[in-house]
Amino acid sequence: MSELIKMLSADTGLIESDLLAIIHTAPQRYRAFQIPKRSGGMREIAQPAREVKTLQRAIMDRVLRRLPIHDAAMAYREGISIKDNAALHAGHGPILKMDFKDFFPSIRSTDWEQYCRQHAVLAPEDVPYSSQILFRHSKGERILKLSIGAPSSPMLSNAILFDFDCLVADEAIKRSIQYTRYADDMTFSGQRIGMLKDMVRVVIDSAHQIQRPHLTVNDEKTTFITAARRRTVTGVVLANDGTVSLGRDKKRLISAQVHHAALGKLDATTMIELAGYLSFVNVVEPQFLSKLQAWYGNETIRKIKKTAATLAYRRHPGPTVR
């Protein structure tokens, strides 16, 4: 029995034959659905079946957690939040924002397999098993890609982009620029726009230099923002005094939606959106959540979250085995 199969058997209680049966069909055991992007268009989310999630979490705990992740990678790390990511850029003047096209699906099983060989992550015979567990088949394609919706995807992406983050961070340090990456969202902050402009070419060159995964910059999202304008990082507003907040407009929107929810006047889509906002508030500006609870009552806030969870489950129940 391979070491990986032995480990998964010990962690899950499944016998070898059952594990191999699940692994063999794991890339197809996903439920895919579409959600709207804030920038327009739709994004595909693919959630693995429960037994595949169990195997993914076992690999996360036993394998992925020990892989190096650069300090600039802020997403999906224990004890680090969206607020922490934004706070590193507060008070730094102008910012540059960039991102990648189709970030997770750009990372393929062949990228992971090369990474495993280079860093001796797993025994050679175990690498194909891990790919079957961690990646999925998109409909009509034979290529295994990383899924938006799998619990292991964020941690794996951070590990695979370690070399990229090293290259970009080293160049940023030379220019006294702060660099962070939150999944595919890259943010740079410094004292002058002129110095930030260098980082556009650095990102493109670094993505080309690492070769795997094949990352493509989304040119439409490359934006320079001066301190004279409203600066946001991963949805958090940067104030010129070095603090971060939700922003006045977002607070007004959330407060109005809570008021309408208390009166039973919110549709299902807005209710789900509001619950997400409240979780965001709790991370970024918890004192504002306390104000909402004082204004509308704790029971109203609890009811919003409970109702939204029920509505979301009805729309997208857990994936089933195919």
Side-chain angles (χ1 to χ4, degrees), residues 246 254 272-286 289 301 305:
L246 296 165
I254 293 169
I272 294 170
E273 181 184 76
L274 176 57
Y277 276 144
L278 292 176
S279 297
F280 186 67
V281 169
N282 191 44
V283 171
V284 177
E285 206 169 332
L289 181 60
I301 302 300
K305 294 178 179 179

Side-chain angles (χ1 to χ4, degrees), residues 210-227:
I210 62 168
Q211 297 183 347
R212 287 181 178 269
H214 182 68
L215 301 169
T216 304
V217 171
N218 187 346
D219 294 329
E220 294 179 358
K221 296 286 190 70
T222 299
T223 309
F224 294 93
I225 308 173
T226 68

Side-chain angles (χ1 to χ4, degrees), residues 50-68:
R50 185 178 303 168
E51 63 278 8
V52 178
K53 278 186 182 179
T54 298
L55 300 185
Q56 289 175 346
R57 290 193 173 107
I59 291 180
M60 287 170 63
D61 291 338
R62 294 294 203 101
V63 179
L64 300 185
R65 289 192 193 283
R66 60 183 172 85
L67 302 179

Side-chain angles (χ1 to χ4, degrees), residues 83 236-237 244-248 250-251 277-292:
K83 181 179 180 179
V236 180
V237 176
V244 298
S245 73
L246 296 165
R248 186 180 302 171
K250 185 64 66 67
K251 288 180 182 179
Y277 276 144
L278 292 176
S279 297
F280 186 67
V281 169
N282 191 44
V283 171
V284 177
E285 206 169 332
Q287 61 270 31
F288 181 62
L289 181 60
S290 298
K291 288 183 179 180
L292 291 173

Side-chain angles (χ1 to χ4, degrees), residues 38 82-99 180 182 185-189 196 221-240 243-251 277 280 284-285:
R38 280 182 292 182
I82 284 176
K83 181 179 180 179
D84 296 320
N85 179 56
L88 289 172
H89 300 281
H92 281 213
I95 62 173
L96 161 65
K97 298 166 74 171
M98 301 178 69
D99 75 6
T180 63
Y182 200 94
D185 290 323
M186 293 165 283
T187 305
F188 303 86
S189 58
L196 290 176
K221 296 286 190 70
T222 299
T223 309
F224 294 93
I225 308 173
T226 68
R229 294 172 54 198
R230 185 172 179 270
R231 296 167 302 152
T232 63
V233 175
T234 50
V236 180
V237 176
L238 307 184
N240 290 333
T243 61
V244 298
S245 73
L246 296 165
R248 186 180 302 171
D249 293 341
K250 185 64 66 67
K251 288 180 182 179
Y277 276 144
F280 186 67
V284 177
E285 206 169 332

